[in-house]
Amino acid sequence: MLVGLIIACEVAFWVVLAAGLIARYPLRRPRLGAALLLAVPLVDVVLLVATMIDLRSGGTATLAHGLAAAYLGFSVAFGHSVVRWADQRFAHRFAGGPPPVKPPRYGWARTRHEWREWGKALLGWAVACALLVGGIVLVGEPDRTRELEAWIGRLSLVVVVWLVFWPLYYTVFPKREPRH
């Protein structure tokens, strides 16, 4: 059931985001659009509450509980960027706004971009791990929370791989503009 809720929350995130942007630009209702965009994080609150209720009511942590924590952590870290990304595209398409900003492709600007993105990933990892540890403490029974502990290791591996293959790689081997 929790996996279904995670999927529903992901769908709801995009539906509420799209509704906010449609209200803001094509419908020219900026207040309504702003209200809908402010409601986007409420989707995450629903998932957090449902996950905690499930664990508190005696449920054993499963892959879905860890996935919910990872989703929430990375949603906190990247959610604002996703909203800004979508807003730029809607503003350009429906309100004559400037073309969307593209990430830099070369040189130190690209390297700085990769470090910023990794910083967001690190924030997502920290939030997810805090939620996982919170779940472990909340339940207080190691037999029921082994899966949450395993997720801390999985997420740590993801963040280390991201560090090595993106920001560190681009720091050591900055991508250079092609010569013509």
Side-chain angles (χ1 to χ4, degrees), residues 31-113:
R31 281 188 179 167
L32 175 61
L36 288 167
L37 291 175
L38 287 173
V40 168
L42 294 177
V43 173
D44 292 343
V45 172
V46 168
L47 180 59
L48 177 62
V49 169
T51 303
M52 288 302 134
I53 288 172
D54 187 49
L55 287 174
R56 283 295 287 167
S57 66
T60 298
T62 64
L63 182 87
H65 293 88
L67 182 61
Y71 173 84
L72 289 166
F74 285 83
S75 179
V76 166
F78 288 94
H80 183 71
S81 299
V82 170
V83 170
R84 186 174 0 138
W85 173 87
D87 188 58
Q88 287 177 353
R89 278 145 186 80
F90 262 75
H92 177 65
R93 173 83 169 96
F94 296 106
V101 177
K102 293 184 180 179
R105 295 179 62 191
Y106 306 107
W108 288 110
R110 171 65 184 259
T111 302
R112 281 190 302 277
H113 170 76

Side-chain angles (χ1 to χ4, degrees), residues 9-49:
C9 285
E10 179 67 11
V11 170
F13 171 86
W14 289 103
V15 167
V16 174
L17 176 59
L21 294 171
I22 289 168
R24 181 182 240 176
Y25 295 110
L27 298 179
R28 308 234 186 269
R29 305 271 317 269
R31 281 188 179 167
L32 175 61
L36 288 167
L37 291 175
L38 287 173
V40 168
L42 294 177
V43 173
D44 292 343
V45 172
V46 168
L47 180 59
L48 177 62
V49 169

Side-chain angles (χ1 to χ4, degrees), residues 102-126:
K102 293 184 180 179
R105 295 179 62 191
Y106 306 107
W108 288 110
R110 171 65 184 259
T111 302
R112 281 190 302 277
H113 170 76
E114 294 299 338
W115 278 104
R116 269 191 309 276
E117 292 300 302
W118 183 76
K120 292 177 198 173
L122 192 60
L123 173 62
W125 170 85

Side-chain angles (χ1 to χ4, degrees), residues 107-152:
W108 288 110
R110 171 65 184 259
T111 302
R112 281 190 302 277
H113 170 76
E114 294 299 338
W115 278 104
R116 269 191 309 276
E117 292 300 302
W118 183 76
K120 292 177 198 173
L122 192 60
L123 173 62
W125 170 85
V127 170
C129 287
L131 291 170
L132 291 165
V133 169
I136 291 167
V137 170
L138 182 72
V139 172
E141 295 178 37
D143 290 343
R144 291 181 40 218
T145 59
R146 291 204 201 298
E147 187 63 28
L148 300 182
E149 293 172 23
W151 267 93
I152 293 171

